[in-house]
Amino acid sequence: MAFQIIAGCVNCWACAPLCPSAAIVAATPHFRIDAKLCTECDGVYADPQCASICPIEGVILDSAGVPLNPPGSLTGIPPERLAAASAEIRAR
Amino acid sequence: MLELNRSIHGASATGGSTPAADRLAQLPAAIRAKINTHPCFSEDAHHHYARMHVAVAPACNIQCHYCNRKYDCSNESRPGVVSELLTPDQAVKKVLAVAAAIPQMTVLGIAGPGDPLANPERTLETFRQLAEKAPDIRLCVSTNGLALPELVDELCQYNIEHVTITINCVDPDIGAKIYPWIFWNHRRITGRKAAEILIQRQQEGLEKLVARGVLVKVNSVLIPGVNDAHLPEVSRVIKAKGAFLHNVMPLIAEPEHGTFYGLMGQRSPTTAELDALQTACAGDMAMMRHCRQCRADAVGMLGEDRNQEFTLDKIEQLEIDYAAAMQRRAQVQAEIEAKRAAARQPSPSVLVALPLIERPRAQPQPQKLPTTRPLLVAVASHSGTHIDQHFGHAREFLIYEATAEAVRRVAVRSVDLYCTGAAECDDTDNRLAQTLRALDGCEAVLCARIGYEPWGKLEAAGITPNGEHALEPIEMAIAAVYAEWQAAGRLTPQTAAPARLSA
């Protein structure tokens, strides 16, 4: 039972001080979660702390590999709008 | 759409037209002393003194729809963008290096790239060290306000004299359209509830700071259709609570920034809208009109950025004798003050009255028809007082509105607030296109010199380049141009350039 930080993390440091298990470490190329220490905040907080402050969608996964903050959930930007805009910008 | 003719909303003609400098002159002496050398607070000081930001605070505790937490481009110049994150120790070293190299650097601010008070250890440790090692530098911080109330006491402990709070609304229903979420009491909170908490914390923080004698400036982002009609109310509330300066800034939103507003088609305000709103908010409150919306790691005079001279690899080997630097800084700053005092001697007064001008079509014709129409003029100026910059060197233009009665500065427009993608960053044609965008609505541009090619492009865009007034004082030169155009019949109300009134 542990979360995982994946590529896309912008190293903003928001999560690390909040972790009740001190499981989050600054690393290169991005922060990572020590799976041996992570408790998913079970029994300490109602919501997992790292995933509740993380500003980047899709970069923290649960133990099943599912994003805790799926695309569109934090910014409110519909994923299809983001994809269309990226394609437009690339095509310029 | 740019409207050269403006109506004044809710502000008396005199109240709406007093320049910021005059308004600041009405502040108590104790406050004036605190802002006299602060380039971000005093319009006059920014011509003489420099500031720097250190990027020690990456984390944020809220999300704003105009912010993208992923963005980093060394060529882009806007708030929230940095190239190099610093530890408090590195930041202190950098501040001492810059203070020694730029003796007129008087102010150190922590402004992000996240929220400084959402990183209390890093932010406060930087302030603690600087208060001890560089007592001659003024310290300030900006924040969204969420974590502010409980940190006021500690901020005061480190001699923080200035705090800027970004307050975009005092109505949670409007806030819900600006802030998708906040992180509060160990939970992510969304919607109206989130905005309600944020607003309450901002107001509480503002009150506490004022009670402690800390100067509070309020920044508001003008978001057309979201908070534009509401900002005069924000201005009223924050003024009643004791904020001393209100800075209404235009939303920056382009699809390539990847922000909610940028991608969802929320437009930025026109300069005319910004100017009208700043006037509407003014009442008798000091408004700030010289903000440059700089990066969270900017170094130098407002509008310039010398950060690349002070990157970590360059400062790491430096040994700084700060005691010696402090002496030199005091000497340089005393010379600046002597010069400013001399410049304050009575000079030919510049009229600033803004006559109430009716819109020609939308409203009934006024009794007395203005015999000439206003003219919007851009100026390339390094000094801020004289026309002393080459057109091609200008990274920003001072925008003046001239009428038969007065010449008044209405805005400062940056050429390169926007990064349009790495491939185009240094492209000359692209630069010129950006410059033309910054000059939108202006009919003339005054500069010390200008190249042949941009001359032609400006004329093609309907903007008259003018290098005839090189090195002259700005207002006098514009008045001369206005008189010349008037005599040539170019300023009768019917001659308003249609392209720009309808564009």
Side-chain angles (χ1 to χ4, degrees):
Chain A
M1 195 177 86
F3 294 150
Q4 189 192 351
I5 295 174
I6 63 169
C9 161
V10 295
N11 297 312
C12 80
W13 291 82
C15 57
L18 297 175
C19 178
S21 317
I24 304 177
V25 286
T28 312
H30 55 76
F31 279 69
R32 60 180 190 80
I33 294 173
D34 186 334
K36 288 193 287 294
L37 297 176
C38 174
T39 62
E40 301 184 2
C41 295
D42 193 29
V44 187
Y45 295 111
D47 300 330
Q49 295 300 286
C50 57
S52 296
I53 199 166
C54 179
I56 306 297
E57 293 160 353
V59 299
I60 304 182
L61 308 182
D62 67 13
S63 51
V66 177
L68 288 152
N69 297 306
S73 64
L74 301 184
T75 60
I77 303 165
E80 49 293 357
R81 175 73 201 113
L82 187 61
S86 309
E88 265 170 52
I89 290 166
R90 271 197 307 272
R92 279 180 194 176
Chain B
M1 190 190 74
L2 188 126
E3 298 161 84
L4 288 174
N5 293 335
R6 307 155 356 95
S7 61
I8 297 168
H9 309 278
S12 71
T14 47
S17 62
T18 310
D22 282 5
R23 248 180 249 286
L24 293 178
Q26 295 159 15
L27 293 168
I31 294 184
R32 271 186 289 134
K34 283 185 183 178
I35 61 170
N36 183 46
T37 59
H38 196 309
C40 305
F41 292 172
S42 160
E43 165 84 50
D44 182 57
H46 99 266
H47 298 302
H48 307 281
Y49 294 103
R51 53 72 180 105
M52 71 179 291
H53 290 159
V54 284
V56 296
C60 196
N61 46 13
I62 71 173
Q63 174 72 48
C64 306
H65 274 327
Y66 45 76
C67 180
N68 174 3
R69 304 299 317 286
K70 286 186 208 173
Y71 214 95
D72 167 18
C73 171
S74 61
N75 287 321
E76 189 171 23
S77 170
R78 64 181 167 91
V81 173
V82 298
S83 302
E84 193 171 50
L85 186 68
L86 306 177
T87 66
D89 289 344
Q90 289 168 332
V92 169
K93 180 131 202 199
K94 179 173 176 176
V95 173
L96 299 183
V98 172
I102 309 178
Q104 69 274 33
M105 191 277 283
T106 49
V107 169
L108 176 277
I110 299 183
D115 183 77
L117 302 186
N119 303 254
E121 298 84 8
R122 300 168 68 98
T123 296
L124 294 171
E125 172 61 15
T126 307
F127 283 147
R128 190 192 62 72
Q129 287 194 36
L130 284 174
E132 185 193 312
K133 293 180 185 168
D136 64 335
I137 297 177
R138 292 176 186 274
L139 305 176
C140 52
V141 65
S142 62
T143 177
N144 61 44
L146 184 60
L148 178 58
E150 62 264 22
L151 291 172
V152 166
D153 288 343
E154 207 166 347
L155 288 173
C156 292
Q157 208 181 307
Y158 301 130
N159 273 332
I160 311 294
E161 289 185 340
H162 310 90
V163 174
T164 296
I165 314 175
T166 300
I167 299 180
N168 296 316
C169 58
V170 290
D171 174 345
D173 289 316
I174 293 172
K177 297 177 191 163
I178 303 172
Y179 309 104
W181 57 264
I182 67 169
F183 180 80
W184 174 246
N185 275 348
H186 300 286
R187 308 199 78 153
R188 197 187 311 262
I189 297 168
T190 59
R192 191 181 190 283
K193 176 83 186 152
E196 207 173 78
I197 295 168
L198 178 62
I199 289 166
Q200 186 275 322
R201 301 284 293 171
Q202 289 170 337
Q203 297 298 320
E204 187 187 338
L206 167 59
E207 288 163 21
K208 276 192 165 178
L209 287 169
V210 169
R212 297 290 299 262
V214 177
L215 288 186
V216 182
K217 164 162 79 69
V218 168
N219 279 352
S220 299
V221 181
L222 166 57
I223 311 159
V226 176
N227 70 349
D228 45 354
H230 175 61
L231 283 181
E233 167 71 0
V234 172
S235 221
R236 194 190 60 73
V237 169
I238 57 146
K239 182 198 160 200
K241 293 197 172 163
F244 90 107
L245 192 60
H246 191 193
N247 176 25
V248 177
M249 308 178 294
L251 170 70
I252 300 174
E254 297 286 327
E256 47 269 48
H257 297 157
T259 60
F260 176 86
Y261 285 147
L263 287 165
M264 301 306 279
Q266 169 66 51
R267 70 174 179 89
S268 302
T270 63
T271 47
E273 285 172 325
L274 177 67
D275 188 37
L277 197 90
Q278 287 177 332
T279 303
C281 285
D284 54 353
M285 169 131 193
M287 290 294 296
M288 172 165 164
R289 295 187 189 233
H290 68 285
C291 179
R292 301 299 200 274
Q293 293 183 289
C294 42
R295 287 164 58 106
D297 58 3
V299 173
M301 306 293 278
L302 286 202
E304 80 170 1
D305 193 349
R306 298 175 58 181
N307 189 35
Q308 291 307 312
E309 296 169 40
F310 302 98
T311 51
L312 273 185
D313 52 319
K314 288 177 189 147
I315 60 169
E316 233 146 42
Q317 307 307 323
L318 288 180
E319 286 297 327
I320 297 144
D321 178 354
Y322 199 74
M326 217 152 75
Q327 276 190 355
R328 161 123 183 89
R329 288 167 50 75
Q331 187 191 336
V332 168
Q333 290 174 22
E335 284 163 15
I336 293 172
E337 282 309 296
K339 248 195 253 171
R340 290 176 82 190
R344 273 193 288 267
Q345 296 303 316
S347 58
S349 69
V350 177
L351 290 172
V352 291
L354 175 67
L356 184 66
I357 299 161
E358 300 287 333
R359 291 158 200 258
R361 275 183 293 270
Q363 294 179 16
Q365 292 293 318
Q367 292 295 314
K368 282 187 218 158
L369 262 180
T371 50
T372 54
R373 62 181 177 82
L375 175 69
L376 213 56
V377 179
V379 175
S381 170
H382 185 70
S383 60
T385 56
H386 291 70
I387 299 170
D388 55 4
Q389 196 170 34
H390 190 295
F391 177 80
H393 296 169
R395 304 284 23 104
E396 62 180 24
F397 289 90
L398 310 179
I399 310 295
Y400 287 79
E401 184 185 62
T403 63
E405 292 81 21
V407 173
R408 189 174 73 101
R409 188 191 293 184
V410 292
V412 178
R413 296 195 200 154
S414 291
V415 175
D416 47 4
L417 271 183
Y418 307 95
C419 175
T420 48
E424 296 166 355
C425 268
D426 298 314
D427 187 314
T428 316
D429 282 350
N430 187 57
R431 275 269 186 219
L432 197 55
Q434 283 188 318
T435 304
L436 286 176
R437 177 153 77 164
L439 298 178
D440 176 48
C442 298
E443 291 184 65
V445 56
L446 272 54
C447 52
R449 294 184 64 186
I450 179 169
Y452 183 74
E453 199 194 333
W455 183 289
K457 296 234 164 103
L458 280 172
E459 283 197 324
I463 302 168
T464 306
N466 185 328
E468 289 165 26
H469 296 276
L471 303 181
E472 290 178 18
I474 294 170
E475 282 90 352
M476 288 167 76
I478 293 175
V481 169
Y482 193 86
E484 190 189 316
W485 284 40
Q486 187 175 8
R490 296 175 72 177
L491 297 172
T492 54
Q494 290 75 27
T495 58
R500 271 177 298 289
L501 279 174
S502 59

